[in-house]
Amino acid sequence: MSNNNNNNNTKQTEERAAQVLSVIRCFVDALRSAPCLQLQTKQRVTSAAAKAVAANEPTDGDAAKGGHDSVDTDESKGSLMAHLESASVLHQVRQLNQPQPSHTSTDAPSVTSTSNNDLSHLLQQNEAVDDRLQILHQIIFPLLKNLQECYLILDNLPPSESTTPESATPQDVNEETATTNQRKKNRAKKPPLPVGMLSLNDYTNVACLLEFTISTSLLPMLEYAFVLLSPSASPASQQREIDNHTTLTTQKRSQGLPKSLSGRISKTALVWGTQVAAVNHDGLVEALSKLSGEMRQLKQNDAMRLYHTIKRYNELSLLATTVGNVILLDRFRPMLLPRHLADVILTLLLGERLKWQLGNLTKRVGSMSEGSDDTLTTMMEKEKSVERENSGMLCSLEKALLFTPLRFPSPLITHATTTASWSEIALRPIDHREAALAYRTLLGGGAAMMCITANANTVASQSQSAPLIPPWLRMRLGQCLTKLAQEDLTSVVDVFVAYAHGPGGTNEGIGSVDDVMTGAAARLARALCARPSSNDAALEVFQKRLCRQFVDFLVAEGETCMNEMKKSNHCGLGEKSRSSAAMSLTLWATIGQLPLEVLQELFFRELASGLVPTSAKDDTQRLTALQSISAIWAWLFNGAIVFGSIYNQQSP
C-alpha cells in the first residue's frame, strides 16, 4: 500500500513539474510576443498607470487587478503585465494552487481613502500600477518557488526503471534463433532515466526566466543605486527625475549572454525592468511634489524611508531565495549555477547593506506609529511578516552558499538560525572553488554599480558616471574571500592566481609563470594579510589557519620530491603544475606581507616542528623530522625556481 502511495505521489509531483515547465514556456513565449518589448531600446517607455500616479489620480480597477483592466488599447502596448494577463500567464500561475509569497504587491492593496493628499493612498496606488513589482510577485517568484519545490523532491528520488523495450522481452532473449550479439544487446540494461527529465528546450526556458528575473529585480538596483540603495535617500525624498535611458549595467550584462539564450529572449526584454523602474520612480516623485506642505514634511520623515528600505530588502531576499534554491538543485546546477551564483551572492550582500540601513533607521524612528498614519503602519506590518516568512529559507541558502552574513541589530529583521521548515532535504552546498569563481566574477566588475561621485550633486550627473564597485562592497567582498581562504586556500589560489591569465588555463609547467600570474599572487597576498577583523583573537585564528595551509602545501611538495628522487635519483621537483607554481608565488608574496613576529610564531615554528623538541603542553609539533626537512627543502627550492623565472622574464 505504501509503495502505491509513493508511486502516486511521485506521479503527481512529476505531473506538477511538467505543468510548471509549461507555464514557464508560456511566459517566455509571451515575452517574445509582447508589443511593449518590440520597441527600440532607445525609445522612452511610457505607461498610463505611471502617468496616473504622477497626476495623483486613481485608475479604474486598481483595487481589483492593479489598474490593468481599464487601460485602453493604445496605452496597453506599454503594459507588459496586461499582455501577460491576456496571454493567460497569470491565470495559469494561479492555477498551480501553491501558496504565493504574502507580499504587499502579490494582490493589489485595497484603497481605503480617496483623498488626493493621502500619502498612504499614493503609495498603495503606486505599488498597484507598478508592472515590475506585479510581475515579480505574482508570476516570477511563485513560478520559481513551484519549480524548486517539485525538483527538490524529484531529484532525491531513485531513478525510475525504464520500461523494457519490446526487443528485450524474455521471449526474444530465449529464442534459439537469436544471434549472440542480439542476446548481449537484449540482456544489457539501459541506464534508468531520471524522474521528471527535462528537454533542452525546457532548460533554455528556465534559463531565460532566470535571466529576465535578474534583469528585472537586481539590475535596476545596480543601475540606480544612488537612489534605491542610498542610506539617506529614497524615492520619496528625491526631487529630481532619473534618466530612464541609462541602462549601462544591463547592456554590459547582455554582452555576455549565452548564444543559446540570445535567440530566445531579446535584449529589449532584459532592459525593460530597468526602464520601468525609472518610469515608476519618476511618477512617484512627481506625485509627491504636488502634495500639500503637511504631506511634504511627512514624506521626508524616517518612517517613510523605513518602509521603502524594508520593502526593497524583502524584494532582494525573495530574489535570492527563489533564484538561489533553483540553481542549487542537482537538475539545474551544472547549467545555471556558474552564471547565476555571483548574482545570488551579490543579492545577499546588497540585502545585508539594507539591513544595516534598517538598523540605523530604527534607532531614529522608534515606533512606526509616530509620524505615520494607520494605513502606512499596516503596510509596514505586512512587510515585516514577509521578512519573517522568508527568514528560514534565507538561512538555508546562506549555509548552502558558504556565506556568513553580518548581524545588524534591528527589530525588523529575524536572524534565523534554523533552516526553512518547508524543506526536510538540505540543499547540497557549493564547493570552495565555485565560491571563489563567483567572488572573482564580482571583483572583476560583476558587482559594479552606478554610484554617487564626490562632485555629483544631481541625479542626472550621477547617472552619467561610469559603473564601479563602491568601497563598502569591495571591502565586504574582500572579507568573504578572506573567510573562504581560511577554509580552503588552494581553491582561492587556483582561481585568482593560477588562471590569472584568463579562463581555460592549462598546466604548462614552471615556465608558465608570467607577469600576470606574479602580480595576481602579490594582490592576493595583500588581500589576505589585510586586517579582516578588529577582533585580535579572530585575526590570530585566521593567520594560524593561513600559515598551517602553507605548511601543509610544503609538506606535500616535499613528499612528492622525495618520491621522485627515489624513482629517478634526480634532485629536483621536475615539471611543476601551474597550480603548484601559483601556490609557491602566493606563499612567498605572503611572507613579504606578514609581520616578522607572526612568521616566527606561526609559520617557521611549525615548519621546523619536527626538528625542534617541544614541551608536552605545546600542540605545535605535528610533523616528523623527515616531513620538516622535506618541507624546508621544498620551500627553498620553490623560491629559487620562482625567483629565477621572474628574473628571466625581466631580463632583456
Side-chain angles (χ1 to χ4, degrees):
M1 182 67 69
S2 61
N3 291 335
N4 292 334
N5 292 334
N6 291 336
N7 292 335
N8 291 334
N9 293 335
T10 301
K11 185 177 180 180
Q12 291 177 0
T13 305
E14 195 169 1
E15 291 176 351
R16 184 170 189 79
Q19 184 182 4
V20 173
L21 292 173
S22 176
V23 179
I24 293 176
R25 180 174 63 253
C26 183
F27 175 78
V28 175
D29 290 339
L31 290 181
R32 292 168 57 88
S33 62
C36 61
L37 300 183
Q38 305 301 321
L39 305 177
Q40 296 296 325
T41 304
K42 295 182 179 180
Q43 184 173 348
R44 182 178 179 86
V45 177
T46 59
S47 173
K51 293 179 180 179
V53 174
N56 201 10
E57 297 175 354
T59 59
D60 297 333
D62 58 355
K65 294 184 179 180
H68 296 290
D69 291 343
S70 62
V71 179
D72 58 54
T73 305
D74 294 334
E75 290 174 336
S76 64
K77 294 181 179 179
S79 175
L80 181 58
M81 186 64 177
H83 174 74
L84 294 176
E85 285 190 83
S86 64
S88 301
V89 175
L90 182 59
H91 175 72
Q92 293 182 58
V93 173
R94 289 172 175 171
Q95 288 298 317
L96 293 175
N97 295 326
Q98 288 288 343
Q100 299 180 6
S102 57
H103 196 274
T104 54
S105 59
T106 300
D107 294 319
S110 58
V111 179
T112 58
S113 173
T114 58
S115 172
N116 289 336
N117 287 336
D118 189 349
L119 179 62
S120 299
H121 167 69
L122 183 63
L123 291 175
Q124 289 178 323
Q125 188 180 12
N126 175 259
E127 294 177 11
V129 300
D130 190 343
D131 271 8
R132 190 184 69 87
L133 289 179
Q134 294 294 319
I135 292 174
L136 282 172
H137 293 286
Q138 293 195 48
I139 297 178
I140 293 180
F141 290 158
L143 270 179
L144 292 176
K145 186 174 184 294
N146 278 280
L147 184 68
Q148 184 266 340
E149 289 176 348
C150 290
Y151 281 97
L152 183 64
I153 297 174
L154 296 178
D155 283 351
N156 288 275
L157 292 176
S160 61
E161 293 294 334
S162 58
T163 303
T164 306
E166 295 180 359
S167 59
T169 58
Q171 291 82 359
D172 292 334
V173 175
N174 295 327
E175 281 184 353
E176 297 180 358
T177 58
T179 61
T180 304
N181 293 335
Q182 286 178 324
R183 289 181 180 180
K184 291 182 179 180
K185 183 178 180 180
N186 292 336
R187 291 171 183 171
K189 293 184 178 179
K190 294 182 180 180
L193 299 176
V195 181
M197 186 174 61
L198 288 81
S199 66
L200 182 59
N201 191 34
D202 291 332
Y203 279 111
T204 304
N205 289 332
V206 173
C208 289
L209 175 62
L210 291 185
E211 200 68 38
F212 182 79
T213 304
I214 296 297
S215 299
T216 303
S217 183
L218 176 61
L219 296 191
M221 300 268 187
L222 302 181
E223 191 71 37
Y224 308 125
F226 50 84
V227 172
L228 303 180
L229 297 177
S230 174
S232 60
S234 72
S237 61
Q238 290 289 339
Q239 298 301 312
R240 293 180 180 270
E241 293 186 355
I242 58 179
D243 183 8
N244 69 304
H245 298 300
T246 304
T247 56
L248 299 179
T249 305
T250 310
Q251 292 176 16
K252 179 181 177 182
R253 182 182 178 89
S254 298
Q255 294 175 356
L257 192 68
K259 293 182 179 179
S260 59
L261 303 185
S262 58
R264 186 71 174 139
I265 186 170
S266 65
K267 294 184 179 180
T268 308
L270 300 179
V271 173
W272 175 86
T274 303
Q275 293 178 321
V276 170
V279 170
N280 191 70
H281 166 80
D282 293 345
L284 180 59
V285 169
E286 185 177 350
L288 289 172
S289 64
K290 298 178 181 180
L291 293 176
S292 64
E294 182 180 355
M295 291 296 106
R296 279 177 179 272
Q297 183 177 1
L298 178 60
K299 73 181 177 63
Q300 293 176 351
N301 64 14
D302 288 335
M304 183 73 176
R305 293 200 294 270
L306 191 65
Y307 171 73
H308 280 285
T309 303
I310 192 173
K311 184 177 180 63
R312 296 190 190 102
Y313 170 78
N314 282 335
E315 180 183 339
L316 290 176
S317 177
L318 289 169
L319 174 67
T321 53
T322 52
V323 175
N325 288 337
V326 168
I327 66 175
L328 287 175
L329 294 172
D330 293 338
R331 196 70 56 106
F332 302 103
R333 183 185 290 246
M335 178 180 178
L336 301 178
L337 184 69
R339 178 163 179 83
H340 294 292
L341 178 58
D343 298 329
V344 177
I345 293 178
L346 178 58
T347 303
L348 293 176
L349 292 171
L350 296 182
E352 192 179 72
R353 177 72 170 180
L354 292 178
K355 283 195 296 185
W356 170 72
Q357 296 176 19
L358 284 172
N360 293 336
L361 287 172
T362 50
K363 292 178 182 179
R364 298 197 299 266
V365 172
S367 175
M368 267 300 297
S369 60
E370 300 176 3
S372 60
D373 56 19
D374 294 338
T375 308
L376 184 59
T377 302
T378 303
M379 295 168 64
M380 188 69 183
E381 289 298 325
K382 290 182 180 179
E383 296 295 335
K384 291 167 65 176
S385 67
V386 173
E387 191 281 327
R388 288 192 297 268
E389 292 174 5
N390 199 48
S391 60
M393 290 187 286
L394 195 62
C395 179
S396 301
L397 179 66
E398 290 169 346
K399 290 181 179 180
L401 298 184
L402 311 179
F403 181 81
T404 303
L406 299 179
R407 301 296 183 183
F408 298 106
S410 173
L412 303 178
I413 300 299
T414 305
H415 297 291
T417 57
T418 58
T419 57
S421 58
W422 50 264
S423 174
E424 298 179 357
I425 308 172
L427 294 172
R428 181 164 58 91
I430 62 175
D431 58 41
H432 295 93
R433 183 179 179 83
E434 291 172 332
L437 286 169
Y439 288 120
R440 186 182 71 175
T441 300
L442 294 175
L443 288 169
M449 61 181 68
M450 304 298 293
C451 302
I452 297 178
T453 58
N455 298 325
N457 297 321
T458 64
V459 177
S461 61
Q462 293 161 9
S463 64
Q464 299 301 321
S465 60
L468 54 89
I469 303 177
W472 66 267
L473 183 55
R474 185 174 292 277
M475 180 182 68
R476 189 69 182 97
L477 288 171
Q479 292 174 349
C480 294
L481 186 62
T482 301
K483 179 69 174 179
L484 186 65
Q486 182 177 347
E487 302 297 329
D488 188 356
L489 180 62
T490 303
S491 296
V492 176
V493 172
D494 281 347
V495 170
F496 282 87
V497 181
Y499 301 133
H501 63 291
T506 57
N507 295 332
E508 300 173 356
I510 193 63
S512 63
V513 177
D514 49 26
D515 291 338
V516 176
M517 188 172 170
T518 305
R523 290 191 297 272
L524 179 60
R526 287 195 296 269
L528 294 176
C529 297
R531 191 179 184 89
S533 172
S534 58
N535 189 345
D536 292 336
L539 178 62
E540 183 179 356
V541 170
F542 168 73
Q543 292 174 341
K544 184 176 182 179
R545 178 60 183 160
L546 186 68
C547 292
R548 174 158 293 189
Q549 291 186 76
F550 280 131
V551 172
D552 290 340
F553 163 73
L554 292 175
V555 170
E557 286 284 289
E559 291 177 349
T560 301
C561 174
M562 293 297 179
N563 294 332
E564 291 294 330
M565 290 177 61
K566 292 179 181 179
K567 293 180 181 179
S568 59
N569 288 329
H570 175 68
C571 181
L573 288 175
E575 290 294 328
K576 289 174 60 66
S577 67
R578 191 173 179 89
S579 298
S580 179
M583 195 70 171
S584 300
L585 283 171
T586 307
L587 168 60
W588 280 98
T590 305
I591 289 177
Q593 295 288 333
L594 285 175
L596 182 59
E597 57 271 15
V598 173
L599 289 173
Q600 291 176 342
E601 182 67 22
L602 301 179
F603 179 73
F604 293 122
R605 185 180 180 183
E606 185 163 357
L607 190 64
S609 61
L611 303 176
V612 180
T614 58
S615 61
K617 298 181 180 180
D618 193 350
D619 61 347
T620 303
Q621 184 172 356
R622 62 187 185 92
L623 303 180
T624 64
L626 182 60
Q627 286 177 328
S628 290
I629 293 174
S630 60
I632 293 173
W633 184 87
W635 172 52
L636 297 175
F637 190 81
N638 283 339
I641 294 179
V642 168
F643 289 119
S645 177
I646 296 175
Y647 175 79
N648 292 334
Q649 293 173 18
Q650 295 177 350
S651 299

